[in-house]
Amino acid sequence: MTSRRAPWAVSAAVLVLSACGGGEGAPAGDAPASSPATAGETTIAPGGESGSGTMADLEFEDQTGAGDRVVVATVNAPGGGFVVVSADGEVLGATSVQVGTTPDVEVELDPALTADTDLTVILYADTDADGEFDPEVDEPVPAPVDATDDEAVDASEPLQEDAAYTVG
């Protein structure tokens, strides 16, 4: 028994193979060799995803101290950026973080706290890649979206954690 292929099947196979890049380098849509995604610079992917494989996350716990610094227990950063501490909308301190997981990130506060305060920590991307935190330019990293989480966060919400700080 002889089998015949329909002419459209051969055309479809050629179309699929040509869409795979035709064997000449990376498929269309991959980042060029000198793009921020391959040069170790900060990039923000839509929907809270990251190009580095690290899912953005913060672990910030209640703490007690002299009021001049706080410690963020764990920072998972998909790109280089900043951990920013604020209270009542006022930035009290920021420190840079590298791509990946960093434990015990210390942030100096200026001005130092003199009373018990509720603090917020937000992870920012170094949007302009200048190594300096600028709230007018640098953008908050969006909270990751987990399709399995019943309390899924909107992708437009920044990744942030709140904690109580006790001076003492």
Side-chain angles (χ1 to χ4, degrees), residues 9 11 15 17 22 24 55 80 92 100 104-105 120 135 142 161 164:
S11 297
L15 180 62
L17 289 175
E24 295 187 27
M55 178 152 317
L92 300 176
D104 302 324
V105 176
T120 299
E161 285 289 318

Side-chain angles (χ1 to χ4, degrees), residues 56-96:
D57 192 28
L58 293 170
E59 212 176 296
F60 185 46
E61 301 167 353
D62 294 349
Q63 52 198 280
T64 301
D68 61 340
R69 65 189 69 235
V70 297
V71 176
V72 181
T74 308
V75 177
N76 292 329
F82 307 97
V83 172
V84 178
V85 178
S86 62
D88 298 322
E90 177 186 351
V91 173
L92 300 176
T95 193
S96 62

Side-chain angles (χ1 to χ4, degrees), residues 35-37 39-45 56 75-84 94-99 122-142:
S35 76
E41 296 176 18
T42 301
T43 58
I44 299 176
V75 177
N76 292 329
F82 307 97
V83 172
V84 178
T95 193
S96 62
V97 290
Q98 301 299 316
V99 174
I122 299 177
L123 181 60
Y124 276 79
D126 188 4
T127 308
D128 57 2
D130 69 351
E132 299 289 325
F133 175 65
D134 181 350
E136 300 298 318
V137 177
D138 297 324
E139 297 178 17
V141 172

